[in-house]
Amino acid sequence: KDKPASSQLLQGRKVIVTAGGTVERLDPVRYITNDSSGKMGFAIARVARQMGADVRIIAGNTTAAPPEGMAVEQVGSAQDMYEAVMRHWEDCNMLVMAAAVADYRPKEAVPTKLKKQGDTLQLELVKTVDILESLGQRKKQQFLVGFAAETEQLDRYAREKLERKNCDLLVANDVTMEGAGFGTDTNAVHIYDRNGLVEQLPVMSKDEVARRLLAIAAARMDKA
Ligand code: CTP
Ligand code: CA
């Protein structure tokens, strides 16, 4: 049998990509979110499709334009994103968690707009579900790719996260670096596996980061 052309490395693979920031409601008009633009996740989705994959995008709050001609399943909270991923998890071959999932949410989302009262307001926040960690515990054929944005101790935190969440690859970027992180068109990432650093990439377009990442992932999936 012929080997697939290198451009079709993900032919026949079902890939879920999450993108953007989750939205955690406080009341009907207020919420907590973050600066994630969705660009990195959208780039991965676009490139995965170019590589032949059957791609499902699950996105929270984004400011970037989604890849042309691709459907986006829109979600709000971390819990919503978790449920959406779960619906497509069973027969999926790869999950890329590029979304910036909120770590905490308001303890209760009140149904009516909060009224102004005293001089201070205490908000109680509770932990959200860790989507990646929870799926890491139950993965079978699924190849798991996590992301981490760090401002310090990149290597240590990246490796800890990869272990804790049982990822096959973890993509870490130092968001204090020029040309890396939220909202930019470029990124500079370190890619880790269980044994440590796999590749340290210089600043490049997010599309190029996606191509390099997915080439590594595709090669490793084939061994499984
Ligand atoms: N993630 C997730 N669910 C969460 C939080 C994070 O699935 N509730 C995923 C992210 O999508 C990312 C990876 O876990 O792929 C790492 O996210 P990160 O925020 O860096 O890790 P945390 O475990 O939340 O640790 P911290 O924020 O303290 O650095
Ligand atoms: Ca976090």
Side-chain angles (χ1 to χ4, degrees), residues 97 99 101-103 128-132 146-149 161 164-165:
M97 282 295 303
V101 183
D103 293 332
T128 56
V129 55
D130 192 314
I131 302 169
L132 190 54
F147 272 75
K161 275 176 197 171
R164 175 157 50 88
K165 305 191 188 215

Side-chain angles (χ1 to χ4, degrees), residues 4-224:
S6 64
S7 63
Q8 294 296 299
L9 286 172
L10 292 174
Q11 185 67 54
R13 304 291 200 174
K14 285 203 165 74
V15 176
I16 301 174
V17 181
T18 66
T22 64
V23 173
E24 311 298 332
R25 286 259 153 222
L26 186 55
D27 75 8
V29 296
R30 301 182 178 101
Y31 55 81
I32 298 174
T33 189
N34 57 64
D35 280 335
S36 175
S37 63
K39 275 180 190 164
M40 192 64 244
F42 287 162
I44 289 167
R46 182 185 309 115
V47 171
R49 188 180 59 165
Q50 286 164 3
M51 291 169 79
D54 172 359
V55 182
R56 176 169 299 273
I57 305 173
I58 298 172
N61 183 47
T62 56
T63 51
E68 221 177 290
M70 294 182 76
V72 174
E73 185 171 340
Q74 205 68 50
V75 295
S77 66
Q79 183 63 33
D80 294 342
M81 183 172 280
Y82 174 72
E83 287 167 17
V85 172
M86 280 304 293
R87 278 197 291 278
H88 308 290
W89 167 253
E90 224 39 70
D91 66 344
C92 130
N93 299 109
M94 168 156 59
L95 168 65
V96 183
M97 282 295 303
V101 183
D103 293 332
Y104 295 92
R105 62 170 171 83
K107 188 172 182 189
E108 44 206 341
V110 296
T112 53
K113 188 170 169 258
L114 287 170
K115 296 308 285 179
K116 178 163 58 181
Q117 282 174 335
D119 288 341
T120 62
L121 172 67
Q122 297 265 23
L123 277 182
E124 193 173 0
L125 305 179
V126 294
K127 231 187 214 143
T128 56
V129 55
D130 192 314
I131 302 169
L132 190 54
E133 186 171 334
S134 141
L135 296 178
Q137 284 165 4
R138 71 181 88 165
K139 74 170 176 184
K140 294 184 206 112
Q141 81 282 0
Q142 297 91 349
F143 190 90
L144 282 192
V145 181
F147 272 75
E150 306 289 352
T151 55
E152 53 168 358
Q153 299 192 58
L154 188 71
D155 192 84
R156 185 184 139 216
Y157 287 140
R159 298 180 68 165
E160 272 177 17
K161 275 176 197 171
L162 181 132
E163 289 287 332
R164 175 157 50 88
K165 305 191 188 215
N166 199 20
C167 295
D168 296 287
L169 290 175
L170 190 123
V171 184
N173 61 303
D174 182 342
V175 289
T176 62
M177 251 185 71
E178 185 89 32
F182 289 154
T184 58
D185 286 318
T186 55
N187 210 351
V189 306
H190 292 54
I191 301 175
Y192 296 86
D193 71 6
R194 292 189 76 81
N195 300 316
L197 187 65
V198 175
E199 202 157 81
Q200 175 171 355
L201 300 177
V203 176
M204 55 180 68
S205 72
K206 287 183 173 175
D207 272 33
E208 192 54 33
V209 171
R211 273 189 282 276
R212 305 280 284 262
L213 168 66
L214 290 174
I216 296 171
R220 289 168 179 233
M221 288 169 74
D222 284 336
K223 288 193 199 107

